[in-house]
Amino acid sequence: MTQPQTRRTFLAGLTAASAILAFSPSARAWLSQPDAASDAVCLPSLDGQLLFAPDDLAAAADDFGHIVHQTPVAVLLPGSIDDIRAILRFANAHRIPVGGMSMIGNTHSVYGQSQVEAGIVINMASLATIHEIDEDSALVDAGVRWIDLLAATTPLGKSPPALTDHIDLSIGGTLSVGGIGGQAFRHGMLVDNVLELEIITGKGKLIACSPTHHADLFQAALGGIGQFGIIVRARVRLIDVPGMARRYTALYPALVDLMADQEKLIDDGRFDYLEGFAQPAEGGGWVYQIEAVKYYAAGEPPDDAALTGDLTFAPSTLTVEDLTHFDFTNRIAPLVALLKSVGAWQLPHPWIDMFVPGSEAASFIQSVLDQTTPDDMGGGPILIYPFKRAAVTAPFVALPDEPTVYLFSLLRFAPPPVVATLLAKNRAIYETLRDLGGKRYAASGIPFTSADWHDHFGALWPAFAHLKHRFDPRRILTPGPAIFD
């Protein structure tokens, strides 16, 4: 339907491929002449480009976290889905690792999850077509950003049911890890609102799948951390949404009071969106902010008293703001622009996102905050909000086994000298969380081993490993998270 940037204009703006024509399996080397080694294998013919220039490799050796740097030998800029199939068949035949969940420049991978040392990274930015929008769904390429989809659906009065707070992310990359936002209590994660996928497995096979067709691959790929295949196209749910959003924020002096109100609100469902934050308090410590949003049609505003009258926040701190639905979903864009202008966005991001059992949430979150200072955060936000475990259906998005789960995130901005210290803190926090039955979010910056991943998936590990063997038996896909030794 629409294509924000044509393949031709995108390719014209990038460094041309070097004269690399072949690969030597025995030497594990890329060659400029096919006959330079007796076993030289010519590269497959492509509609797009395979890039070898240093600038292109350097871009692929970084991510949003700016912590891990693994340099590939090539970057595929596909001109078609067939290019990805060809490269994956080639990589599978010669055991070349492939970074399969990355769209360079539009990923929130913070610890090298989408990078690949001495392999091939696929940049999905050139496959970004919105193919169709109908009454209840949209068919999109994996390189489409959520902001582009919203720009197309908002004039039609439609939106995906769930969105991340930052919508300048690729759809394929988000679906590979889960995707969570303030609508999770009502609609689950982004992976819970997908109707169909087209996936290219580690063997280079293109499979169309859904809950009723190749359901095992469909369920595995959603939140599967890029281990089973590369999502190249998705049909995502759309729902009708009014054109306006009324946003309420207010402060609480105590965490337990914020959480009590949040749990009341996800039970009765009076709001369409709900999150919460910890903010530095004057004189030290933290205060707690609720953020709740009600969608409404223009000229039919909600009843403020009915929505907020029984909540226990400090009344003098209540603020009410009206935005268009699109402006609300894109509300952090001005903040991101500011952070970029002052250089903070370019700093390392040793982020940690956690899923905390509801029964342990108050004590665990408070204990972590008691050991966290504003300087540790570097101006980054701290997120605290609950959702219903039953709303999340993707099997490999590991969550605590309790009815209510809290997302608790420390989204730090850190100068390079303190990154190692903060990563060690992340590991210590995670170990405490793990012992309480909590789980990490896959995109987090936590030092992790294959044994940790085995523990993370728990009873689902045998199924995870079996599907890996079935769809990516040579384990070429997405080695960055180190799930398999």
Side-chain angles (χ1 to χ4, degrees):
M1 179 177 176
T2 63
Q3 187 164 336
Q5 187 177 32
T6 68
R7 185 173 73 241
R8 179 176 297 174
T9 58
F10 189 93
L11 294 173
L14 288 158
T15 307
S18 303
I20 302 292
L21 301 176
F23 176 75
S24 169
S26 62
R28 308 302 297 167
W30 299 88
L31 309 171
S32 59
Q33 296 295 329
D35 61 350
S38 60
D39 66 343
V41 181
C42 291
L43 300 181
S45 177
L46 300 171
D47 298 322
Q49 297 185 62
L50 199 59
L51 307 178
F52 299 89
D55 287 350
D56 297 308
L57 302 185
D62 195 12
D63 59 19
F64 180 69
H66 308 307
I67 297 169
V68 175
H69 301 278
Q70 299 187 86
T71 304
V73 293
V75 175
L76 173 65
L77 193 68
S80 65
I81 289 176
D82 286 340
D83 282 357
I84 301 175
R85 294 183 67 193
I87 284 296
L88 284 179
R89 287 195 295 265
F90 184 85
N92 183 63
H94 304 296
R95 298 183 181 272
I96 301 169
V98 176
M101 53 186 281
S102 173
M103 173 179 163
I104 299 172
N106 291 88
T107 173
H108 267 186
S109 167
V110 301
Y111 203 54
Q113 288 94 333
S114 59
Q115 297 174 33
V116 56
E117 182 74 24
I120 300 171
V121 167
I122 299 176
N123 186 344
M124 299 293 290
S126 56
L127 297 183
T129 298
I130 300 173
H131 294 277
E132 65 183 49
I133 297 173
D134 59 29
E135 281 298 310
D136 59 6
S137 68
L139 181 64
V140 298
D141 284 344
V144 172
R145 300 173 303 162
W146 293 102
I147 188 172
D148 297 323
L149 179 57
L150 276 166
T153 63
T154 297
L156 306 175
K158 297 182 182 299
S159 171
L163 291 164
T164 52
D165 291 336
H166 184 44
I167 58 174
D168 192 16
L169 302 175
S170 71
I171 289 176
T174 308
L175 297 182
S176 294
V177 294
I180 187 168
Q183 304 93 347
F185 74 96
R186 185 186 295 276
H187 297 292
M189 296 188 186
L190 278 66
V191 290
D192 299 299
N193 293 280
V194 180
L195 303 175
E196 300 169 0
L197 292 173
E198 292 182 31
I199 298 168
I200 302 177
T201 70
K203 299 177 183 180
K205 184 177 181 180
L206 177 64
I207 300 178
C209 52
S210 71
T212 58
H213 185 67
H214 295 294
D216 50 356
L217 179 59
F218 177 80
Q219 294 173 349
L222 293 170
I225 322 177
Q227 295 302 303
F228 313 108
I230 297 174
I231 296 170
V232 294
R233 193 166 290 169
R235 183 176 292 279
V236 298
R237 275 187 69 213
L238 298 177
I239 59 173
D240 295 330
V241 291
M244 299 296 295
R246 179 161 289 184
R247 178 174 177 258
Y248 302 86
T249 64
L251 297 179
Y252 296 75
L255 175 62
V256 292
D257 295 332
L258 166 73
M259 295 173 65
D261 275 358
Q262 287 179 320
E263 293 192 24
K264 176 193 296 184
L265 294 177
I266 69 170
D267 284 339
D268 66 31
R270 72 182 79 171
F271 287 104
D272 297 293
Y273 164 102
L274 180 71
E275 290 196 7
F277 309 89
Q279 299 179 347
E282 291 186 13
W286 304 94
V287 294
Y288 306 93
Q289 182 187 68
I290 197 169
E291 181 183 34
V293 176
K294 183 69 175 178
Y295 303 150
Y296 69 96
E300 302 176 10
D303 185 334
D304 297 342
L307 288 173
T308 66
D310 61 342
L311 303 181
T312 62
F313 55 75
S316 63
T317 66
L318 176 65
T319 66
V320 181
E321 179 184 22
D322 290 312
L323 301 162
T324 67
H325 181 269
F326 182 86
D327 286 344
F328 167 67
T329 59
N330 196 36
R331 63 198 175 281
I332 72 167
L335 174 60
V336 171
L338 174 63
L339 291 170
K340 288 180 177 179
S341 70
V342 300
W345 199 250
Q346 292 75 31
L347 288 172
H349 301 96
W351 287 8
I352 178 170
D353 299 273
M354 298 160 277
F355 297 122
V356 188
S359 64
E360 304 285 352
S363 58
F364 172 77
I365 293 172
Q366 190 66 67
S367 69
V368 173
L369 292 177
D370 288 344
Q371 302 170 52
T372 302
T373 69
D375 287 344
D376 289 335
M377 298 304 303
I382 299 174
L383 277 59
I384 305 166
Y385 59 88
F387 60 95
K388 295 295 188 181
R389 174 67 180 83
V392 179
T393 59
F396 293 136
V397 177
L399 295 172
D401 188 19
E402 290 196 6
T404 299
V405 175
Y406 273 80
L407 177 77
F408 176 41
S409 300
L410 305 177
L411 306 184
R412 308 185 188 95
F413 296 79
V418 303
V419 168
T421 298
L422 293 175
L423 289 174
K425 287 185 176 182
N426 284 357
R427 178 67 201 192
I429 291 169
Y430 166 75
E431 289 178 2
T432 301
L433 173 70
R434 176 198 61 201
D435 294 344
L436 296 173
K439 300 291 182 179
R440 62 167 287 176
Y441 184 47
S444 295
I446 306 172
F448 236 52
T449 67
S450 180
D452 290 322
W453 285 112
H454 191 296
D455 180 72
H456 171 81
F457 288 112
L460 288 176
W461 174 256
F464 193 94
H466 170 74
L467 290 166
K468 179 69 170 178
H469 179 73
R470 179 177 170 190
F471 294 112
D472 182 26
R474 293 194 166 182
R475 299 183 180 179
I476 65 167
L477 289 176
T478 318
I483 296 175
F484 296 93
D485 290 332

